[in-house]
Amino acid sequence: MKMSKATKSIRTQVEGRDLIMERIFDAPRELVFKAYSEADHLARWWGPQGWETTIQRFDFTPGGEWRYCMKCVDKNQEDFFGHESCGLAVYQEITSPEKIVYTDSFTDQEGNKLDGMPEMLISMEFVDHEGKTKLVTRTQFATEEVLKQIMDMGVVEGTSSQFEKLDAHLKQIQS
């Protein structure tokens, strides 16, 4: 097991072709799960800081699809400003409020998978942790090389930024 760095909000490690990320949220497990299982919540926090997400399709059932596009709206992100990134998730397993398993692919705006971009198998566990929620995300890639490519693209930093947005959203809906 190769350990990776821990940022201020996320702990990561690599096991072969799997990237494991953990983050503790100061919210009950049911609420964190709800933030992932309802389109109106996802649209408010999904994506890194400075990006907005549009949900194109959302069917939160096994075999159901979630299509979305993110757009950078932060002019301070210079090279990324105006850039769009779309994805397609297909849910494999859902156990409320404990687990979500899905495949995730990069797509164009119409939902067509992009050639040369990886498909990932993502398993998320929502664990009660001293009155809070520990979210454990395991992302499996086809090869260790593909995992390295995605890590070089900044997946850990992007996920950490996204988790900060989720944390703020959870605080807002709890108040």
Side-chain angles (χ1 to χ4, degrees), residues 20-31:
I20 301 144
M21 296 182 277
E22 295 181 6
R23 170 78 149 66
I24 295 175
F25 294 94
D26 190 10
R29 177 170 72 162
E30 291 75 15
L31 190 60

Side-chain angles (χ1 to χ4, degrees), residues 11-28:
R11 180 186 155 150
T12 64
Q13 67 186 48
V14 173
E15 294 179 359
R17 58 189 179 121
D18 291 1
L19 172 61
I20 301 144
M21 296 182 277
E22 295 181 6
R23 170 78 149 66
I24 295 175
F25 294 94
D26 190 10

Side-chain angles (χ1 to χ4, degrees), residues 19-147:
L19 172 61
I20 301 144
M21 296 182 277
E22 295 181 6
R23 170 78 149 66
I24 295 175
F25 294 94
D26 190 10
R29 177 170 72 162
E30 291 75 15
L31 190 60
V32 179
F33 189 89
K34 183 178 183 173
Y36 275 90
S37 62
E38 295 182 9
D40 59 329
H41 286 289
L42 275 168
R44 291 187 201 141
W45 66 266
W46 186 263
Q49 297 284 348
W51 291 66
E52 291 180 354
T53 298
T54 302
I55 307 290
Q56 297 170 324
R57 177 182 170 91
F58 190 76
D59 178 7
F60 190 69
T61 59
E65 293 183 351
W66 168 34
R67 281 189 38 218
Y68 61 91
C69 283
M70 302 180 298
K71 183 174 184 174
C72 182
V73 294
D74 180 2
K75 291 180 181 176
N76 294 323
Q77 293 189 26
E78 299 170 2
D79 290 346
F80 289 105
F81 178 69
H83 180 76
E84 291 189 342
S85 180
C86 299
L88 169 67
V90 179
Y91 295 104
Q92 309 296 309
E93 178 185 344
I94 299 169
T95 307
S96 179
E98 301 162 5
K99 188 175 189 179
I100 302 171
V101 179
Y102 62 98
T103 57
D104 193 23
S105 305
F106 292 91
T107 69
D108 61 21
Q109 289 185 339
E110 288 75 42
N112 302 305
K113 293 181 184 180
L114 296 178
D115 290 336
M117 294 300 287
E119 181 173 270
M120 300 152 277
L121 177 63
I122 300 172
S123 176
M124 306 178 74
E125 288 185 68
F126 301 78
V127 182
D128 280 324
H129 182 78
E130 301 169 358
K132 300 177 182 180
T133 302
K134 181 196 295 188
L135 178 60
V136 181
T137 302
R138 177 181 289 265
T139 304
Q140 185 176 79
F141 296 86
T143 65
E144 291 180 26
E145 292 75 25
V146 172
L147 168 57

